[in-house]
Amino acid sequence: GESVGLHLPTLSVQEGDNSIINCAYSNSASDYFIWYKQESGKGPQFIIDIRSNMDKRQGQRVTVLLNKTVKHLSLQIAATQPGDSAVYFCAEKGGTASKLTFGTGTRLQVTL
Amino acid sequence: NAGVTQTPKFRILKIGQSMTLQCTQDMNHNYMYWYRQDPGMGLKLIYYSVGAGITDKGEVPNGYNVSRSTTEDFPLRLELAAPSQTSVYFCASRLQGPEGPEQYFGPGTRLTVT
């Protein structure tokens, strides 16, 4: 996994617009790739995952895209709402005990 | 279900003091994990356990110890607190196996070592 510095990348979007959050991962042998949402003062909350043999998976208002060629993962949030404001982390899952390796976090700010 | 609970929520330690961070889950999950999260960073795995009596090191285990005497509890021990251990600590759990629900996280313990 990768760590970010003290200043998280920030994505600012207007309410109602679509958001796209990107992540680069490191281990091509990971079984699953997962997106977590972390609100201020809380633990990470599972949003959606995608198996390594898939390219796309859709949930409610969210879509995850996986590009294994360039080791890239993205999270698309449709019709972004103020409640979507949080830090979003991607994670790779694999190995013993399905350990997670967290990647770069992105702060999503939703403006009214 | 209460899910994953952690105590305390906040703690301030002096350098050299010791403490135990408590973690309990009531979902009968086999796997449990401890992470630390430094300001503006992702989570890093400290220790994990695949079941009672079995623990193993993660990415950043130095300065910590764990035990897993029951399925429900997975305490994290700091023996000689150092300023570098100032962080937010998260406990997580999940059922074994690659499929199925992902890790559930507790609310975290914010630790400051001065």
Side-chain angles (χ1 to χ4, degrees):
Chain A
E2 299 178 17
S3 298
V4 295
L6 288 176
H7 303 287
L8 282 171
T10 298
L11 175 66
S12 187
V13 300
Q14 278 202 307
E15 182 180 6
D17 287 351
N18 296 335
S19 304
I20 300 176
I21 301 170
N22 297 304
C23 175
Y25 65 89
S26 56
N27 187 357
S28 55
S30 296
D31 302 319
Y32 282 84
F33 300 90
I34 304 155
W35 282 98
Y36 277 92
K37 173 186 180 183
Q38 187 177 27
E39 296 174 285
S40 181
K42 296 184 179 180
Q45 179 184 7
F46 172 81
I47 302 173
I48 191 169
D49 65 357
I50 186 169
R51 197 168 184 163
S52 58
N53 62 357
M54 298 171 65
D55 299 322
K56 179 179 179 179
R57 189 174 185 202
Q58 289 185 290
Q60 188 178 13
R61 278 202 310 121
V62 295
T63 301
V64 56
L65 299 177
L66 175 63
N67 186 331
K68 293 181 284 294
T69 303
V70 295
K71 294 184 183 176
H72 183 267
L73 193 66
S74 69
L75 177 70
Q76 300 177 1
I77 304 174
T80 311
Q81 302 169 358
D84 295 327
S85 293
V87 177
Y88 290 80
F89 290 98
C90 64
E92 308 168 48
K93 182 175 73 170
T96 309
S98 300
K99 295 193 295 291
L100 295 179
T101 302
F102 282 81
T104 305
T106 298
R107 185 181 306 281
L108 177 64
Q109 290 181 336
V110 182
T111 58
L112 301 177
Chain B
N1 288 349
V4 180
T5 56
Q6 293 182 239
T7 56
K9 284 187 168 47
F10 304 95
R11 184 72 185 268
I12 298 174
L13 283 182
K14 293 190 187 309
I15 294 171
Q17 286 186 319
S18 61
M19 77 164 293
T20 299
L21 283 68
Q22 301 291 345
C23 174
T24 299
Q25 53 88 14
D26 62 356
M27 298 173 283
N28 203 32
H29 285 172
N30 309 76
Y31 293 179
M32 296 188 74
Y33 312 81
W34 273 106
Y35 295 88
R36 60 176 287 171
Q37 184 177 32
D38 298 333
M41 308 280 276
L43 282 71
K44 295 197 174 185
L45 183 64
I46 306 172
Y47 269 95
Y48 65 97
S49 168
V50 298
I54 306 169
T55 63
D56 209 344
K57 296 177 181 179
E59 186 183 352
V60 289
N62 291 346
Y64 307 95
N65 275 301
V66 292
S67 59
R68 183 93 183 272
S69 56
T70 66
T71 300
E72 294 78 21
D73 301 305
F74 191 39
L76 178 71
R77 179 85 177 160
L78 283 71
E79 290 295 348
L80 291 170
S84 61
Q85 293 178 305
T86 293
S87 191
V88 181
Y89 291 84
F90 290 100
C91 180
S93 73
R94 75 182 298 270
L95 282 171
Q96 75 178 77
E99 307 284 344
E102 285 312 322
Q103 293 182 23
Y104 291 86
F105 283 81
T109 294
R110 185 175 295 274
L111 176 67
T112 302
V113 182
T114 61

Short mmCIF file of all heavy atoms in Angstrom, two decimals, chain A residues 37 53 58 77 89-90 102 105:
data_model
loop_
_atom_site.label_atom_id
_atom_site.label_comp_id
_atom_site.label_asym_id
_atom_site.label_seq_id
_atom_site.Cartn_x
_atom_site.Cartn_y
_atom_site.Cartn_z
N LYS A 37 -15.14 4.37 3.23
CA LYS A 37 -15.44 5.78 3.52
C LYS A 37 -15.15 6.02 4.99
O LYS A 37 -15.56 5.24 5.85
CB LYS A 37 -16.92 6.04 3.23
CG LYS A 37 -17.42 7.42 3.62
CD LYS A 37 -18.94 7.50 3.40
CE LYS A 37 -19.48 8.87 3.79
NZ LYS A 37 -20.96 8.92 3.64
N ASN A 53 -10.99 -10.37 -10.93
CA ASN A 53 -11.31 -10.84 -12.28
C ASN A 53 -12.47 -10.06 -12.93
O ASN A 53 -13.00 -10.46 -13.95
CB ASN A 53 -11.62 -12.33 -12.29
CG ASN A 53 -12.84 -12.68 -11.47
OD1 ASN A 53 -13.43 -11.81 -10.82
ND2 ASN A 53 -13.22 -13.94 -11.47
N GLN A 58 -21.26 -2.28 -9.82
CA GLN A 58 -22.12 -1.16 -9.44
C GLN A 58 -22.86 -1.45 -8.16
O GLN A 58 -23.29 -2.57 -7.90
CB GLN A 58 -23.12 -0.86 -10.57
CG GLN A 58 -22.48 -0.24 -11.79
CD GLN A 58 -23.50 0.15 -12.84
OE1 GLN A 58 -24.10 -0.71 -13.46
NE2 GLN A 58 -23.69 1.44 -13.03
N ILE A 77 -19.13 8.26 -7.72
CA ILE A 77 -20.31 8.51 -6.91
C ILE A 77 -21.26 9.38 -7.72
O ILE A 77 -20.88 10.49 -8.13
CB ILE A 77 -19.96 9.20 -5.58
CG1 ILE A 77 -18.94 8.39 -4.80
CG2 ILE A 77 -21.22 9.42 -4.74
CD1 ILE A 77 -18.41 9.08 -3.54
N PHE A 89 -10.78 5.78 1.10
CA PHE A 89 -9.58 4.97 0.97
C PHE A 89 -9.86 3.77 0.09
O PHE A 89 -10.90 3.13 0.23
CB PHE A 89 -9.12 4.44 2.33
CG PHE A 89 -8.58 5.49 3.25
CD1 PHE A 89 -9.37 6.05 4.24
CD2 PHE A 89 -7.26 5.90 3.14
CE1 PHE A 89 -8.86 7.01 5.09
CE2 PHE A 89 -6.75 6.86 4.01
CZ PHE A 89 -7.55 7.41 4.98
N CYS A 90 -8.89 3.46 -0.77
CA CYS A 90 -8.94 2.17 -1.44
C CYS A 90 -8.07 1.20 -0.65
O CYS A 90 -7.17 1.62 0.08
CB CYS A 90 -8.45 2.28 -2.87
SG CYS A 90 -6.72 2.73 -3.05
N PHE A 102 -4.01 -0.55 2.89
CA PHE A 102 -4.71 0.67 2.51
C PHE A 102 -3.83 1.54 1.62
O PHE A 102 -2.63 1.68 1.83
CB PHE A 102 -5.12 1.46 3.75
CG PHE A 102 -6.34 0.89 4.42
CD1 PHE A 102 -6.22 -0.20 5.27
CD2 PHE A 102 -7.58 1.42 4.19
CE1 PHE A 102 -7.35 -0.75 5.88
CE2 PHE A 102 -8.71 0.89 4.79
CZ PHE A 102 -8.59 -0.20 5.63
N GLY A 105 -5.47 8.02 0.53
CA GLY A 105 -6.78 8.57 0.87
C GLY A 105 -7.06 9.85 0.10
O GLY A 105 -6.13 10.58 -0.27
#
